[in-house]
Amino acid sequence: MRVLVAMSGGVDSSVVAALLVEQGHEVVGATLQLYDHGAAIQKKGACCAGQDIHDARRVAESLGIPHYVLDRESRFRAAVIDDFAATYARGETPIPCIRCNQTVKFQDLVELARDLGCEALATGHYARRVEGTHGAELHRAADPVRDQSYFLFATTRDQLDFCRFPLGDMPDKAAVRAVAERLGLAVAAKPDSQDICFVPEGSYDRLVAKLRPESAEPGEIVDLSGQVLGRHEGIGRYTVGQGRGLGLGGGSGERLFVSAIEPGRRRIVVAPRAALARTEAVAGEVNWLVDPPEAPRPVQVKLRGREAPRGATVAWDGAGQVMRVTLEEPNIVAAGQACVVYDGNQVLGGGFLRAASVDRAGAAA
C-alpha cells in the first residue's frame, strides 16, 4: 500500500520507514517543522529541530523515497505551546506530547496522507493497533518500558483506523537499533530525544513566565490549615505532588509536598505525602475508543505516563461529559494530567484530570 511515514529524524521513525520500504510498500516521508529550529539547531535531544529535519531528509534520500517538510510552527504554537503555558497558569500540569499528538501530528498528517492518496499513516510510536471485532483497537506495546499508548488515548477512532504502529511488537529499543544497523541507517546510534522539544534545557518555568506573566507573580506557601510557611516566586514553578524546590528548609518535621495550587490567590498548598492521596477523580475532554460504559465498569487506569495501570472503576456521565473514576488504591491526582483507561492491554479511552475543589482553609476537598 501507499503509506505516509511521520519522520522525526530519530531512529524509531527512520526504522519504520525503512521496514515499510523493505516490505515493498510505497513510502512517502513527512516531517513537521514545529518551532523555530534556527534557535534550537544546536540543542541535542529535541525532536523536530533543524538537525532532526536534516536527519529525516538524509534517511529518506538513502531509502529513495520522497520527503516533505511541513511548516506547522503557528499551529504548534497555538495548540501546544500556548496551551502548555495556560495550563501551568491555571495551576495544572500539562502534557504537551498528548496535545501535539491530538492536534498537529495526527490531524495534520492524516489529512496530508489522504491528500497524497496514501492508504495509511505510520508513526514510530510504541503502541499496537489490533483489528478487533468492532474495528481497530489501541493496545499497549510489547515493551512495557517504551509503551506510549498513554500518550495516544486522544486519537479518534477514525484516525486509529488509518494509523499503523510498526514498532509496537518490538521487544525493546535494542531490537529497534539492531534493525537500524542491519538496514544501514545513518541514525542507528542517534540518542533518544529528551525533555520537552520546545523547552531549551528543561527551563519550562521561564517559557511559562514569558507567555503567562501572572504565573511568575510571588505568593504564599501555606499548609492545610492555611498557616503561612513561606513564599514562592510564581505558581508556574510548581506541580501537584512536587516535593523538591519548595524552599521551606529542612527541619525535623514531616516532608511536605504540593497538595494544591490556587492560581486566584497565588497560593501553593503543601501537606504530608499521605494527605495527597485520593480515591476519587474526575476527567473531562474524554475520548472513547470503544462505546462508553453504560454502567460503572471495573478497569485499570494510568494517571501518569510512567506508572503501571492500577485497578479502578469508571463511570461515564454522558450528561456532564465527564468520566468519574474510583481508584482501588489511593493515588496522587494532578489536574491537567491524563487518566487513561485500560482493559488489560487495550486502551478503552481517557480524559484530562480536573482539579479537586479546595476549601477556604486550603485543603483539597
Side-chain angles (χ1 to χ4, degrees):
M1 65 171 70
R2 191 174 203 210
V3 183
L4 182 72
V5 176
M7 299 182 68
S8 69
V11 63
D12 293 331
S13 58
S14 297
V15 166
V16 168
L19 284 175
L20 292 174
V21 169
E22 184 179 52
Q23 293 166 9
H25 298 290
E26 181 184 356
V27 177
V28 178
T31 301
L32 297 171
Q33 180 178 312
L34 298 180
Y35 62 98
D36 183 3
H37 64 272
I41 193 169
Q42 300 299 326
K43 178 175 170 8
K44 295 182 179 180
C47 71
C48 310
Q51 183 60 48
D52 297 305
I53 293 174
H54 171 75
D55 289 343
R57 181 180 293 115
R58 183 169 55 155
V59 170
E61 289 176 352
S62 72
L63 296 174
I65 63 174
H67 177 253
Y68 297 89
V69 177
L70 283 73
D71 183 351
R72 291 295 184 271
E73 286 190 29
S74 296
R75 180 158 161 73
F76 184 74
R77 170 65 180 259
V80 181
I81 299 179
D82 288 349
D83 176 80
F84 178 82
T87 302
Y88 268 114
R90 291 195 303 269
E92 301 179 358
T93 307
I95 312 182
C97 292
I98 293 180
R99 288 298 188 194
C100 186
N101 288 334
Q102 182 184 30
T103 56
V104 185
K105 287 186 178 178
F106 283 94
Q107 286 185 11
D108 289 15
L109 287 176
V110 167
E111 180 180 343
L112 174 65
R114 286 174 169 154
D115 288 345
L116 294 175
C118 295
E119 300 170 66
L121 167 68
T123 77
H125 288 101
Y126 286 80
R128 291 186 297 136
R129 175 189 177 280
V130 176
E131 284 293 344
T133 55
H134 300 290
E137 300 174 352
L138 178 62
H139 286 237
R140 299 175 72 196
D143 180 3
V145 175
R146 292 280 171 179
D147 174 53
Q148 293 175 305
S149 60
Y150 175 87
F151 300 95
L152 297 173
F153 85 86
T155 306
T156 67
R157 294 194 202 187
D158 181 61
Q159 291 168 348
L160 182 60
D161 185 62
F162 194 74
C163 290
R164 303 293 185 273
F165 308 115
L167 302 186
D169 290 315
M170 288 287 188
D172 52 35
K173 186 58 177 274
V176 176
R177 292 196 182 277
V179 172
E181 292 176 0
R182 176 178 68 80
L183 296 174
L185 300 182
V187 296
K190 185 174 180 178
D192 291 340
S193 59
Q194 302 291 329
D195 301 322
I196 300 170
C197 68
F198 57 88
V199 180
E201 301 178 357
S203 302
Y204 75 88
D205 55 314
R206 284 186 286 178
L207 172 67
V208 174
K210 179 180 179 181
L211 296 178
R212 292 290 180 134
E214 69 272 22
S215 71
E217 295 177 357
E220 298 174 338
I221 299 177
V222 303
D223 64 16
L224 292 177
S225 69
Q227 179 181 352
V228 177
L229 303 180
R231 302 278 297 176
H232 66 78
E233 297 302 318
I235 63 170
R237 296 171 176 263
Y238 301 88
T239 60
V240 170
Q242 179 177 333
R244 296 181 179 179
L246 301 182
L248 298 178
S252 57
E254 190 172 3
R255 186 181 177 189
L256 299 175
F257 297 80
V258 176
S259 172
I261 300 174
E262 299 179 273
R265 290 184 278 186
R266 301 199 305 275
R267 294 205 314 183
I268 302 296
V269 184
V270 296
R273 188 176 185 86
L276 274 64
R278 293 163 48 195
T279 57
E280 303 289 334
V282 175
E285 295 184 66
V286 180
N287 179 63
W288 291 106
L289 292 171
V290 299
D291 292 338
E294 296 181 357
R297 175 174 177 173
V299 294
Q300 303 86 46
V301 299
K302 290 179 67 172
L303 301 187
R304 48 193 57 83
R306 294 184 179 180
E307 71 178 17
R310 304 184 184 190
T313 299
V314 297
W316 172 238
D317 181 349
Q321 294 296 294
V322 296
M323 178 173 64
R324 304 188 184 278
V325 184
T326 302
L327 305 171
E328 291 182 1
E329 300 177 2
N331 200 347
I332 296 176
V333 178
Q337 294 282 288
C339 174
V340 180
V341 183
Y342 293 82
D343 182 358
N345 285 322
Q346 183 182 358
V347 177
L348 305 182
F352 292 95
L353 292 164
R354 293 186 173 178
S357 60
V358 178
D359 65 27
R360 295 180 64 181

